[in-house]
Amino acid sequence: MAKVLWRTEVRHLDRLPRSGPVIVVANHVGIADGPLLHGVIPRGSHFLIGGHMMEGLLGRILRVAQQIKVEGGGRQALAQAYEVLKRGDVVGVFPEGTRGGGTAESVHGGAAWLALRTRAPVVPVAILGTRLPGESVSAWPELRRRMLMDFGEATSLDTPQELKGRARQDWADQRVGEILRDHLAAVLPTTDLELPRDDPRAERAANEAQEAE
């Protein structure tokens, strides 16, 4: 997919540890992000995938690839991801939780929760080109489009010892967001590819709310 269907440039893959548990976090702009990132990682990887993606042909492919289905509050998915990390493998998370502008301004806490409990390092990945401004978040990119996946440095969460409980989790949530945003900020000036920044789902929801009024 990365090299035949599309023209994907993969940078700094050597920054991904070749052994041991790793949590890969990436910004999320389009439907191709997950399959592409899973494909370029040179180790077996298990991504947390929304249950709605586990339907039909794509769902069968994801299940065969041993991806992790997220349902409800996601507790069962996190428990599965925890076991993957404990055995020394790779877990992938899109902490924004849904496809959108890809700026990672708001992230969920699953990746941070896993990092705190397994001490696995976090590797950020900047994804660019899988969706352009104005395109649907559910549309596959046209053939041979140029894309970029840039891997950042592996970073451990060195939590301040005085933080406990909810404060510790809140700090970790913020830190994971910072790691991903800082990497995106470093990558964007190195390419002419841009984030779509628009969020079609949020815009559609806002329009529906206005119409309901």
Side-chain angles (χ1 to χ4, degrees):
M1 293 177 70
K3 298 297 185 181
V4 177
L5 294 184
W6 301 296
R7 295 180 295 146
T8 308
E9 179 185 2
V10 181
R11 296 180 183 172
H12 306 123
L13 192 56
D14 59 315
R15 292 173 173 171
L16 183 80
R18 289 295 185 262
S19 62
V22 179
I23 301 169
V24 171
V25 297
N27 63 312
H28 203 8
V29 296
I31 195 170
D33 297 344
L36 274 173
L37 186 52
H38 171 72
V40 302
I41 291 175
R43 301 174 53 186
S45 59
H46 306 265
F47 278 75
L48 274 67
I49 305 292
H52 64 286
M53 295 292 294
M54 293 294 194
E55 306 296 333
L57 176 60
L58 178 59
R60 290 196 291 273
I61 294 172
L62 292 171
R63 287 193 294 273
V64 169
Q66 299 182 349
Q67 304 307 285
I68 299 171
K69 183 178 182 179
V70 180
E71 293 183 296
R75 291 186 177 182
Q76 184 176 355
L78 287 175
Q80 289 180 255
Y82 175 85
E83 293 301 324
V84 169
L85 292 168
K86 292 301 288 184
R87 69 173 186 250
D89 290 333
V90 178
V91 164
V93 182
F94 292 101
E96 291 166 290
T98 188
R99 293 166 243 148
T103 58
E105 290 302 320
S106 176
V107 300
H108 297 286
W113 187 90
L114 291 168
L116 287 177
R117 282 152 184 79
T118 65
R119 302 192 68 81
V122 173
V123 174
V125 181
I127 299 177
L128 299 169
T130 55
R131 185 172 73 84
L132 302 179
E135 291 183 335
S136 167
V137 294
S138 300
W140 290 91
E142 72 272 12
L143 295 178
R144 303 302 294 160
R145 176 182 290 178
R146 188 165 59 90
M147 303 175 183
L148 173 64
M149 293 197 168
D150 190 310
F151 286 72
E153 298 285 356
T155 304
S156 296
L157 298 191
D158 297 323
T159 316
Q161 293 185 354
E162 67 271 16
L163 294 181
K164 307 295 180 183
R166 184 68 244 179
R168 186 168 178 260
Q169 179 67 46
D170 288 345
W171 181 91
D173 293 351
Q174 293 177 11
R175 182 69 184 118
V176 168
E178 288 173 357
I179 290 170
L180 183 51
R181 287 191 296 272
D182 288 350
H183 182 57
L184 281 165
V187 172
L188 284 168
T190 71
T191 177
D192 60 346
L193 295 174
E194 299 179 352
L195 291 172
R197 298 191 182 276
D198 62 325
D199 189 341
R201 289 179 175 175
E203 292 171 3
R204 184 166 59 249
N207 291 335
E208 291 173 353
Q210 288 181 349
E211 291 173 0
E213 293 176 357

